[in-house]
Amino acid sequence: DIQMTQSPSFLSASVGERVTLSCRASQNINKYLDWYQQKLGEAPKLLIYNTNNLHTGIPSRFSGSGSGTDYTLTISSLQPEDVATYFCLQRNSWPYTFGAGTKLELK
Amino acid sequence: EVQLVESGGGLVQPGRSLKLSCLASGFTFSNYGMNWIRQAPGKGLEWVASISSSSSYIYYADTVKGRFTISRDNAKNTLYLQMTSLRSEDTALYYCARLEGYWGQGVMVTVSS
């Protein structure tokens, strides 16, 4: 099974700051990597699919990059509404696996 | 508008069974693979099972293989998860999801005596 390691587990940042979250796979996942945002009490929301494709309705301050085993979600200018936990998901092969999440808070 | 509405959750004793349903609307259900994903209280997300559009391909997480069965009825636009031999560690919010970006609000399953 492919293991997904997210870092950091917790991140505190200021409004307007550029934020970078990472996800590392235990083997090549061929860019089949999605990013989700989950706010407290809500279902996860898809932000980015297949590494760098912005899902419909997602603000352009969110972007994704990566290849092979290393992937990144970037928020170009952090907004208060971005406080949430972010998960990555690999869909390269079954069983699909999620990262443990990065909890993003405001400083 | 795509909607996924789960039902069938509740409190169940260890070793018993429960069947979840997910009613889909707003898209051609028979064209898409579907998934169940769960989240234990205060924990992360765990993929549980996937089924292809015509039920030809089915996959399970090792943690549920042999105990859970995913199925679908395309005529009824409904996805199912039959859960047997339930354990306390199966306690979670179960989401029905189309991984192109559509999730239900989840249904809670609590396994406890």
Side-chain angles (χ1 to χ4, degrees), chain A residues 26-43:
Chain A
S26 59
Q27 63 190 73
N28 181 12
I29 55 171
N30 298 301
K31 296 192 172 184
Y32 288 105
L33 190 283
D34 302 335
W35 288 98
Y36 285 87
Q37 176 194 66
Q38 188 178 32
K39 297 182 179 180
L40 203 61
E42 298 182 6

Side-chain angles (χ1 to χ4, degrees), chain B residues 14-107:
Chain B
R16 302 298 289 267
S17 300
L18 202 62
K19 187 172 186 176
L20 305 183
S21 300
C22 171
L23 180 61
S25 60
F27 66 102
T28 304
F29 181 69
S30 59
N31 285 352
Y32 292 91
M34 296 294 296
N35 304 268
W36 288 100
I37 291 160
R38 68 184 181 183
Q39 187 169 35
K43 302 296 184 182
L45 299 167
E46 180 187 16
W47 169 83
V48 172
S50 296
I51 186 168
S52 63
S53 58
S54 61
S55 305
S56 298
Y57 301 99
I58 288 175
Y59 303 92
Y60 296 100
D62 286 345
T63 52
V64 307
K65 198 174 297 182
R67 300 187 299 121
F68 289 11
T69 302
I70 188 172
S71 63
R72 63 191 297 160
D73 185 334
N74 286 344
K76 295 183 178 179
N77 290 343
T78 303
L79 176 72
Y80 302 102
L81 186 68
Q82 176 70 56
M83 304 183 292
T84 64
S85 303
L86 282 161
R87 306 167 180 168
S88 58
E89 54 264 37
D90 296 318
T91 293
L93 188 62
Y94 284 74
Y95 293 103
C96 163
R98 202 188 107 187
L99 290 180
E100 293 85 4
Y102 304 99
W103 292 53
Q105 284 304 302
V107 61

